[in-house]
Amino acid sequence: MQNIITNAMTVYPQVARVVVAVDCIIFGFDGRQVKLLLIHRGFEPEKGRWSLMGGFVRGEEGLDIAAARVLKELTGLEGVYMKQLSTFGEPRRDPVERTVSVVYFALIDINQYAAPLSDRFRAEWFTLKKIPPLIFDHREMVTQALVRLRQDAETQPVLFELLPAKFTMPQLQSLYEGVFSRKFDKRNFSRKVLASGLIVRTKAKEKSGSRKGAFLFRLNKSRRTLRPVFEHIAN
Amino acid sequence: MQNIITNAMTVYPQVARVVVAVDCIIFGFDGRQVKLLLIHRGFEPEKGRWSLMGGFVRGEEGLDIAAARVLKELTGLEGVYMKQLSTFGEPRRDPVERTVSVVYFALIDINQYAAPLSDRFRAEWFTLKKIPPLIFDHREMVTQALVRLRQDAETQPVLFELLPAKFTMPQLQSLYEGVFSRKFDKRNFSRKVLASGLIVRTKAKEKSGSRKGAFLFRLNKSRRTLRPVFEHIAN
DNA sequence: ATGAATAATTGTCATAATGACACTTTATTT
DNA sequence: AAATAAAGTGTCATTATGACAATTATTCAT
């Protein structure tokens, strides 16, 4: 494997070169609440303060790859599907040196990923209402991610990423309520979700957390977008 | 004004530094069709081929600022509101040197901005169906921008950015049809748009392009999102 | 065994939004 | 005055929505 920049290659003259970083925002759902994963930053400046999972992009590494690597290194999480959110590049956002940061975000089912997070990593989950002060512009990143998450969730069935393969209707509703910070009527909620044809009821029941037990649902194999696609101007 | 990186400042050791660029995608509407603005690239490699408006971010310059400057330099356009789309950073996307490009996009009313584009710039408008081959990954950037534009237009009244202050109902419908690449029923279309309360009919008529003439509409002063916000899961 | 307690599940009705559909109006041109 | 071209407008059947509360299934306590 060779270095991509060899002596023979032309390079753009007179152009500033800067450090490029990635930051990862991981939202999780534990069946009750939507949470955000944070770590204690491991190096100066701001060492020890709460931070998103971030790191520098390496020479021969694409952005998506870098984000996956950084997440793995700092939390042990692997195979998490992350989407690019936005890029932050104010000249002084990082006091050490100009750093442009590409932000990724993902949704996961906390219970599914509980194991890797355990010991050697100092990552912790925070509910959205109790996010501690974060370094740099990380708080702004999270705010933007939430806006985007809600926007996406309005038009696409993305929130199912946060659930286990089988889930109950009350869990699904809590999830939506958590993400949108509001309550829904349970009769209307289930009517609407079922009408979408996206989920199917199984025969099994989940029997913890309630005396009666709740039926488990799963995603319909033939996943589609909710309603052929939402268009406020249609036909 | 000082340089932000002084000798006294610590810098991150062992970290790769790369060129950061911005590329601008400008969508326009001329009353009939949605179009894309392109220029002949002015430097090697790929000099002379069609390209988005791009340039390098300077040392002390934020990303938004850089995008506005680059657009101005290459097209003369000023005061265009651009939104960040996404960042492209595959290691070999630019064959000269690794370059991470932050992509911005905007919507404008072509007629309003006709003047600045005129002579000394070699920018040209292309209909979406006749986009020529573009350099690097610019075609992919445009594709993503269109997806995003449609997504945004489904939930927010963004398309009005593409229209002059006063516009006719048939123009508005053409715009939506152009962006979504489909036809709408004019009765249902106007019913729906009017029901949103977003636009108001004026007494004036636009009398070119039709014998009868068409009433002019304007945006309602009290702009809101179309319907309090679209939620596929609500209440 | 019985009853109390807890959370899940389910239905109605009035109103609003949607989609399919075609004729009338207005002003110009011939 | 008639033809033409595009703009403007109405109905109806179907579906989606939002507001609303009683019933069911199970466990726990007595």
Side-chain angles (χ1 to χ4, degrees):
Chain A
M1 182 110 128
Q2 302 112 39
N3 210 313
I4 44 162
I5 302 194
T6 67
N7 291 345
M9 285 183 78
T10 1
V11 287
Y12 295 117
Q14 307 282 359
V15 173
R17 283 161 183 79
V18 302
V19 172
V20 176
V22 289
D23 283 297
C24 305
I25 298 177
I26 309 294
F27 291 114
F29 184 66
D30 64 5
R32 297 223 157 262
Q33 289 179 296
V34 176
K35 293 180 176 174
L36 173 68
L37 188 62
L38 297 172
I39 56 164
H40 283 287
R41 179 168 162 105
F43 53 95
E44 292 299 343
E46 307 276 9
K47 183 170 174 178
R49 287 188 58 201
W50 290 107
S51 158
L52 294 170
M53 286 65 76
F56 300 114
V57 176
R58 292 181 183 159
E60 177 78 29
E61 197 180 49
L63 302 174
D64 299 3
I65 306 286
R69 173 183 55 78
V70 166
L71 183 66
K72 168 89 187 293
E73 286 175 4
L74 295 177
T75 66
L77 296 176
E78 258 182 302
V80 172
Y81 175 68
M82 286 191 291
K83 232 173 117 178
Q84 195 186 301
L85 172 69
S86 184
T87 298
F88 289 69
E90 284 307 302
R92 304 198 170 252
R93 53 175 295 281
D94 181 331
V96 173
E97 179 178 350
R98 179 162 194 189
T99 306
V100 168
S101 174
V102 184
V103 181
Y104 283 78
F105 78 112
L107 317 173
I108 68 174
D109 167 18
I110 293 182
N111 299 316
Q112 213 113 49
Y113 287 94
L117 271 176
S118 57
D119 26 354
R120 74 177 192 291
F121 304 99
R122 297 183 55 200
E124 281 180 37
W125 291 105
F126 292 84
T127 62
L128 296 185
K129 304 204 165 181
K130 291 187 181 170
I131 300 175
L134 303 179
I135 64 164
F136 304 166
D137 46 7
H138 286 197
R139 179 62 220 219
E140 169 63 14
M141 294 174 176
V142 172
T143 301
Q144 274 196 31
L146 257 175
V147 169
R148 177 72 152 272
L149 177 59
R150 286 175 183 151
Q151 215 170 274
D152 287 359
E154 277 179 22
T155 47
Q156 288 161 347
V158 290
L159 296 191
F160 294 93
E161 302 285 341
L162 287 145
L163 291 166
K166 300 199 173 177
F167 50 88
T168 68
M169 187 63 74
Q171 278 170 357
L172 182 63
Q173 186 171 346
S174 298
L175 171 55
Y176 270 86
E177 290 179 342
V179 169
F180 287 100
S181 295
R182 53 168 289 200
K183 296 287 179 188
F184 301 107
D185 180 279
K186 51 184 174 172
R187 288 159 292 192
N188 295 341
F189 181 87
S190 77
R191 188 217 300 158
K192 212 158 174 177
V193 173
L194 290 171
S196 77
L198 244 149
I199 63 172
V200 180
R201 199 172 90 169
T202 67
K203 284 166 196 160
K205 270 198 168 184
E206 165 62 48
K207 313 202 53 166
S208 65
S210 110
R211 303 197 170 156
K212 183 176 176 181
F215 279 106
L216 289 164
F217 293 78
R218 60 170 176 75
L219 272 178
N220 196 335
K221 284 148 209 147
S222 55
R223 277 196 183 223
R224 311 162 272 153
T225 304
L226 306 194
R227 289 221 244 132
V229 155
F230 275 80
E231 291 156 316
H232 69 274
I233 303 293
N235 187 318
Chain B
M1 185 110 124
Q2 303 109 42
N3 211 313
I4 44 164
I5 302 194
T6 67
N7 292 344
M9 287 182 76
T10 2
V11 288
Y12 295 117
Q14 306 282 358
V15 173
R17 283 161 183 80
V18 301
V19 172
V20 175
V22 290
D23 284 297
C24 305
I25 298 178
I26 309 294
F27 290 115
F29 184 66
D30 63 5
R32 297 224 157 263
Q33 289 178 297
V34 176
K35 293 180 175 173
L36 174 67
L37 188 62
L38 297 173
I39 56 164
H40 284 287
R41 180 170 162 103
F43 53 97
E44 295 297 345
E46 306 275 10
K47 183 171 174 177
R49 286 188 59 202
W50 290 106
S51 158
L52 294 170
M53 285 66 74
F56 301 113
V57 176
R58 292 181 184 159
E60 179 77 30
E61 198 180 47
L63 302 174
D64 299 2
I65 306 287
R69 173 183 55 78
V70 165
L71 183 66
K72 168 90 188 289
E73 286 174 3
L74 295 177
T75 66
L77 297 176
E78 257 181 302
V80 172
Y81 175 69
M82 288 192 291
K83 232 173 118 177
Q84 195 187 300
L85 172 69
S86 184
T87 298
F88 289 69
E90 284 308 302
R92 303 196 173 256
R93 54 176 293 281
D94 181 330
V96 172
E97 178 177 350
R98 179 161 194 190
T99 305
V100 167
S101 175
V102 183
V103 182
Y104 282 78
F105 78 114
L107 316 173
I108 68 174
D109 167 19
I110 292 181
N111 300 315
Q112 212 113 50
Y113 287 94
L117 270 176
S118 58
D119 28 353
R120 73 178 193 292
F121 305 99
R122 297 183 56 199
E124 282 179 38
W125 291 105
F126 291 84
T127 62
L128 296 184
K129 302 206 165 179
K130 291 187 180 169
I131 299 175
L134 303 179
I135 64 164
F136 304 166
D137 47 7
H138 286 196
R139 179 63 220 217
E140 168 63 13
M141 292 175 177
V142 172
T143 301
Q144 274 197 30
L146 258 175
V147 169
R148 178 71 153 274
L149 177 59
R150 286 176 182 149
Q151 217 170 274
D152 287 359
E154 277 178 23
T155 47
Q156 287 160 346
V158 290
L159 297 191
F160 294 92
E161 302 286 340
L162 288 145
L163 291 165
K166 300 199 171 179
F167 50 87
T168 67
M169 188 63 74
Q171 278 171 356
L172 182 63
Q173 185 171 345
S174 296
L175 170 55
Y176 271 86
E177 290 179 342
V179 169
F180 288 101
S181 293
R182 53 169 291 202
K183 296 288 178 186
F184 300 108
D185 180 279
K186 55 181 174 174
R187 290 161 292 193
N188 294 341
F189 182 86
S190 75
R191 187 208 313 152
K192 213 159 173 177
V193 173
L194 290 171
S196 78
L198 243 148
I199 65 173
V200 180
R201 199 172 89 169
T202 68
K203 284 165 196 163
K205 270 196 167 185
E206 164 62 49
K207 311 202 53 163
S208 65
S210 111
R211 300 189 175 163
K212 184 177 177 181
F215 279 105
L216 288 165
F217 293 78
R218 61 169 176 75
L219 272 179
N220 197 333
K221 285 146 210 152
S222 56
R223 278 194 183 226
R224 312 162 272 155
T225 305
L226 306 195
R227 289 221 245 136
V229 157
F230 274 79
E231 291 155 315
H232 68 276
I233 303 292
N235 190 315

